[in-house]
Amino acid sequence: MNLTSWKSFGDRRAVRKAAGVAAAIVACSGLAWTAVSLTTSTSTDSKRPEACLYTPTGKGNGDKSVGVPTYDTISARRPFMLTLSTSEGPITIQALTTQAPCTTNSFAYLAGKKYFDGSKCHRLTTKGIFVLECGDPAGVGTSDPGYSYPNENRKGATYPAGTVAVSKAQPGRNGGQFFISYADPLLRMPPEWTPFGKVIDGLEVVQKFAAKGTANGAPDGAPKEPVVIDSATVQYPKG
């Protein structure tokens, strides 16, 4: 998510529209940046989730290599909660398994493999859009789990406070990175990122980290206080 350019974030028409909105806001608010960037893709959404495919990327993340998940239509749509444990407290996310089954199945798989455990959230934005970005075990925002999968659930998507959506290490490559919106955006964010969860408890935890700003004081950068996901656990309903 680069707040200074749209070079990796969406198709050119979406870029021009969003940049125009951003420029208008900048003119009114005096912000020193002109647009928002979260890495986008030009690929379409998966139209047949029953045929969801996880495509190896040939990369992965060293000792965090986890293989490739399998997909079963029925089990992938089973509801679950994902809890991220941090130093400020837990963040509980309700997975949108019926809207984004390929994505939620992947995140449940990665949590079960302890892919997120001990990882550091690498990016915080504090102007225009308000998100905390996590999910790279290397803590730098360039890694994927060794596979990618299609976009989902983007038609009419918005990203208000509490939204959890996929971010990308590279355009067109959904993997393990995600962002949490901790406040409603001031900029119009085009529907380019798969929303796959909602924070149902612990949004104030993200807001506490965000209130401390970035390490360098810029509106986009590493959090000033390190945000470490100690563990990520999946809870399925009983019965």
Side-chain angles (χ1 to χ4, degrees):
M1 289 189 292
N2 181 342
L3 287 169
T4 58
S5 74
W6 283 91
K7 61 185 178 182
S8 63
F9 208 145
D11 65 27
R12 292 182 180 178
R13 287 178 298 176
V15 168
R16 286 196 293 267
K17 290 179 182 177
V21 173
I25 291 176
V26 170
C28 295
S29 64
L31 297 178
W33 48 278
T34 59
V36 180
S37 176
L38 298 162
T39 309
T40 69
S41 119
T42 56
S43 61
T44 58
D45 288 7
S46 173
K47 295 184 182 302
R48 296 184 60 201
E50 68 273 19
C52 177
L53 297 176
Y54 299 102
T55 304
T57 61
K59 294 183 68 176
N61 208 16
D63 61 353
K64 288 284 188 176
S65 179
V66 294
V68 178
T70 58
Y71 181 85
D72 174 80
T73 304
I74 296 175
S75 61
R77 292 172 181 267
R78 183 183 177 192
F80 68 84
M81 303 293 182
L82 175 66
T83 298
L84 309 178
S85 297
T86 76
S87 59
E88 289 285 355
I91 303 165
T92 301
I93 298 163
Q94 180 179 356
L96 305 179
T97 55
T98 58
Q99 295 98 313
C102 295
T103 305
T104 54
N105 182 64
S106 172
F107 274 84
Y109 174 82
L110 292 175
K113 293 290 186 178
K114 302 187 183 300
Y115 180 79
F116 302 111
D117 293 11
S119 65
K120 185 182 295 186
C121 297
H122 55 274
R123 178 163 283 177
L124 177 72
T125 63
T126 61
K127 294 284 181 68
I129 64 171
F130 307 96
V131 302
L132 177 68
E133 189 173 5
C134 313
D136 175 3
V140 294
T142 58
S143 298
D144 66 41
Y147 62 87
S148 64
Y149 50 91
N151 296 308
E152 299 177 283
N153 195 33
R154 294 188 305 166
K155 185 176 181 179
T158 58
Y159 307 91
T163 300
V164 187
V166 180
S167 55
K168 304 171 179 67
Q170 297 180 27
R173 183 174 288 179
N174 291 333
Q177 293 191 42
F178 62 95
F179 64 86
I180 301 173
S181 294
Y182 63 88
D184 293 343
L186 298 179
L187 295 177
R188 178 190 173 275
M189 297 173 66
E192 290 290 340
W193 309 280
T194 295
F196 71 92
K198 298 286 185 182
V199 176
I200 60 171
D201 191 29
L203 188 60
E204 72 280 0
V205 172
V206 185
Q207 292 166 342
K208 286 179 183 178
F209 286 117
K212 297 174 183 179
T214 62
N216 62 3
D220 174 17
K224 183 175 183 179
E225 178 180 338
V227 184
V228 178
I229 298 174
D230 297 319
S231 64
T233 55
V234 171
Q235 302 88 37
Y236 291 98
K238 296 180 180 179

